[in-house]
Every structure is written in C-alpha cells, then in structure tokens.
Amino acid sequence: MTDKKRVAILGSTGSIGTQTLEVIRQHPEDFLVEVLTAQNNCDLLIAQALEFNPNAVVIGNEDNYQKVKAALLPHDIKVFAGQKAIAQIVEMETIDVVLTALVGYSGLIPTVNAIKAGKQIALANKETMVVAGEIITALAKENRVNIFPVDSEHSAIFQCLVGEYQNPIEKIILTASGGPFRGKDRTFLETVTREQALKHPNWDMGAKITIDSASLMNKGLEVIEAKWLFGLKTEQIEVIVHPQSIIHSLVQFEDGSIKAQLGLPDMRIPIQFALSFPHRLKSDFERFDFMNYPQLTFEQPDLKTFRNLQLAFDALAKGGNAPCILNASNEIAVAAFLNKEVGFLEMSDLIADTLAKATFIARPSLEDYIATDQESREITTQLIKRRK
C-alpha cells in the first residue's frame, strides 16, 4: 500500500472499534484516523482522540458534549454531538473508508449516507444489511461502493471467493460456536441468568452481540446479511455448529469442492483484511497451531431449542420487511433480558409474537423500514409490559 487510507470509525470505543485502532496502531504507514465516534464512553473517546489526532470526533450522547469539547478543542480536534452528527460526519470529503461498528439499527442511516457520499464501507454492523439489505446493496452498486465484511464469518466467505468471481456458489456454510449453552435443553434455558449468558466461550464481544450469540440470533442475523452480501437464495445458506471457532465459514462450489478460511478467534484479522484489501498486511497476531486443536468437530444446530435461528430463516424466506421486524423486536427483547425483565426463552416468544402482529410490507422503501422499526419496537415493548 502506498497512500494512507483515511478511516472513520463509527463506534470506536466498542469491541470492534478498539480492535480496529489496534490494527491502525500497528500500521501507521498505511492508515490515518480521520473520524472517531462513540455513544456514551466519552473518557475513552477523549483518550483515543488524543492518541490518534483525528480531524473530528462525535459523541452521540449530547450530555457529554461539553466534556469532550473542553478536552479536545485545545488540540485542534473538531467536536460534534448527537445522532444526526454521526449520520452526517461520514460525508466528509477527507474520508476514504467508513468502518461501521455501531450496535444494532443505529448503524443504518450513517451507512446509507456514507454510501451515497461514495465512501468505501468496512461493515461490522450486520443489522444494516438485515434491516435494509436490498436497498443497501442497490445503493452500493449505484454509487460504485464496495462493502467489505468485517464479521469473521462473512470475511471468511469473502476471502474464499477471492479469485472465484466467475465461479457460481452452490452454497455457503456459516459456522457457529454454539455459544455458552450449546447442548442445553429448554428446561435448563428457562433459568438462565444474564451473567451466564454473557460468558461466551471463544469471543470477546459487547453485551448485545454476546446475548445474540447465546440465543443463536446472531447467527440468524448473519444468515440474512449473507444473503445480501453475496447475492444468495435462502436455500443456499447453511449453518453448522463448530465449537472450536477455528473454521470461520466455508464456500461450496458447483463442482463439489469446498473452500474454508481458518484461524484463531481474533477479530483483528478480518478487520485488517477489510481495511487493507486487496493487500494482506503483515501482523504479529498469534498464529494457529494444528497440534493445539487435534480435533475440529461439527454439529447440527438445535432449531427447536434455539428458536431464534429458525425465526431468522423464516423471516428471510418471507422477505419484505420481515427481517426488519425481527431485528427491531430482538433489540428490545435483548435489552429487556439484560435488564432482567424477561427470561432467556421469552426473547424468542416476544420476537415470534411481534412478527405475527407487525404490519408486513412486501416491497418496503427506506421510509417503510424506518416506520417498521418503530412499530415493531412499540409492539415488543407492549408485549413485555403485559408479561409483568
């Protein structure tokens, strides 16, 4: 790489954001931090800004604006606040690539605006594709914008497809760790606590994604994301449980051959590949040793116990705004579980009920998706209140 890529990191204080800065820290000759954003963690945002000296930062929570402004203005770093500022900052002419690591639905509008502004996208916010994948992919094509996946599973598929663009995919196989409750039955899951669900065996992630992983909703969202990222039909996507999380996903081609991408569970590798593509930059990340993993095992996912994955497949098959309904309801259900308002299994019940009650739109516009998100959240919130 010759010219430095100027990077905007949306959600720089979260798990993906901090690991992205680790990658940039290792490659100062390849990347410049142009913009950093955070929702609430103003102390870490200030520390990051003082280290990387971006052009601008945005703090989503406007109550923290004065604190961030006072700390950074003497260093000639522009400071903005609020959700609208996050959505607008991506349009800056000096940005080359926008890494979207925002949590949930909040990533949609900033990603839309970044694509319209012609910015390349490193996508760590799967909900954007889940909610409005058809619109996002059409916008990217119209604006000649590449979307580089950051999720380890989708990065694995992308890496397997390099050099294979003329060869049709027969199917893809997304691997799942199975989460902390792999092999458990519904009786066990009825009494699962918040603390138990937040202990993922292989990955270090934020609370919302960790709960999604425990319920297999994260894999369901990845199924929907994969459909749009790689132009697939529902029947071309398979999920297999792989507890060791060494094979990150696989592609099967029409001649029957299968490609897999392997490596230790380390999000810095897909982050770096998304930022540096088509180059592979040298890193000092830990290397995989087969002798440490003499057995790689695989299981079928339990769709009856972990209903969320089946609900995601059903929403994808139904199409329209059904995945948007699924995502919005899940965000409310997960928040309620984290607040100890509902049980672990009740999350799936809430999502299923919301899918049945929310208004279905077969060919939604962006405005329809926004309305659907709001309606679905309201329905799930009311369902939670009735359970108390």
Side-chain angles (χ1 to χ4, degrees), residues 105 116 135 361 364-373:
Y105 174 83
K116 287 181 177 178
I135 287 176
I361 304 171
S365 64
L366 181 58
E367 290 72 22
D368 290 328
Y369 284 125
I370 294 170
T372 294
D373 178 80

Side-chain angles (χ1 to χ4, degrees), residues 88-352:
Q88 293 170 352
I89 200 77
V90 296
E91 300 171 3
M92 284 177 52
E93 290 184 6
T94 51
I95 295 171
D96 296 316
V97 58
V98 176
L99 187 138
T100 60
L102 299 172
V103 177
Y105 174 83
S106 64
L108 176 61
I109 300 304
T111 305
V112 168
N113 288 354
I115 293 172
K116 287 181 177 178
K119 311 302 180 185
Q120 304 305 307
I121 304 296
L123 186 67
N125 173 253
K126 62 178 65 66
E127 290 86 353
T128 291
M129 300 301 283
V130 172
V131 170
E134 186 170 11
I135 287 176
I136 294 296
T137 51
L139 270 177
K141 184 176 181 180
E142 177 185 340
N143 290 277
R144 299 182 179 181
V145 164
N146 291 313
I147 299 177
F148 300 109
V150 169
D151 274 347
S152 61
E153 296 82 0
H154 300 93
S155 176
I157 300 298
F158 178 54
Q159 292 182 57
C160 289
L161 291 175
V162 172
E164 300 281 3
Y165 295 113
Q166 302 304 316
N167 296 318
I169 298 170
E170 187 166 281
K171 70 175 179 179
I172 67 168
I173 303 163
L174 297 174
T175 55
S177 69
F181 307 132
R182 179 176 61 86
K184 303 298 185 183
D185 59 20
R186 292 184 65 83
T187 301
F188 176 88
L189 295 179
E190 284 175 356
T191 59
V192 157
T193 66
R194 175 186 187 274
E195 290 69 30
Q196 288 174 306
L198 285 172
K199 293 180 180 178
H200 194 281
N202 299 332
W203 296 96
D204 180 16
M205 305 174 290
K208 194 266 183 185
I209 299 175
T210 304
I211 300 301
D212 281 347
S213 179
S215 72
L216 289 196
M217 178 56 86
N218 197 48
K219 202 54 51 180
L221 299 179
E222 288 174 5
V223 166
I224 299 170
E225 181 183 10
K227 182 256 192 299
W228 295 112
L229 281 175
F230 305 112
L232 303 171
K233 298 177 182 177
T234 306
E235 57 268 24
Q236 289 179 286
I237 307 171
E238 183 180 328
V239 172
I240 195 79
V241 175
H242 169 48
Q244 296 80 23
S245 295
I246 295 300
I247 297 177
H248 298 304
S249 279
L250 312 93
V251 178
Q252 181 169 304
F253 297 95
E254 290 185 327
D255 63 355
S257 63
I258 296 177
K259 276 187 173 183
Q261 191 265 332
L262 292 75
L264 292 171
D266 188 338
M267 283 304 302
R268 293 173 299 175
I269 295 173
I271 290 168
Q272 181 169 295
F273 190 68
L275 292 179
S276 66
F277 183 83
H279 306 283
R280 287 188 182 273
L281 301 180
K282 187 176 181 179
S283 78
D284 61 4
F285 307 149
E286 185 181 356
R287 269 37 178 182
F288 171 72
D289 184 342
F290 274 99
M291 294 304 98
N292 293 331
Y293 294 86
Q295 288 187 322
L296 300 179
T297 60
F298 307 91
E299 308 163 11
Q300 287 292 336
D302 183 353
L303 299 180
K304 291 184 178 179
T305 302
F306 297 90
R307 292 176 60 206
N308 279 353
L309 181 54
Q310 185 62 60
L311 289 171
F313 269 110
D314 293 344
L316 180 58
K318 187 172 183 179
N321 66 336
C324 180
I325 298 168
L326 175 96
N327 179 73
S329 179
N330 178 65
E331 289 190 15
I332 297 298
V334 169
F337 174 72
L338 288 170
N339 289 330
K340 301 182 179 180
E341 296 173 326
V342 300
F344 186 81
L345 291 177
E346 287 182 283
M347 291 190 290
S348 298
D349 297 336
L350 290 165
I351 295 163

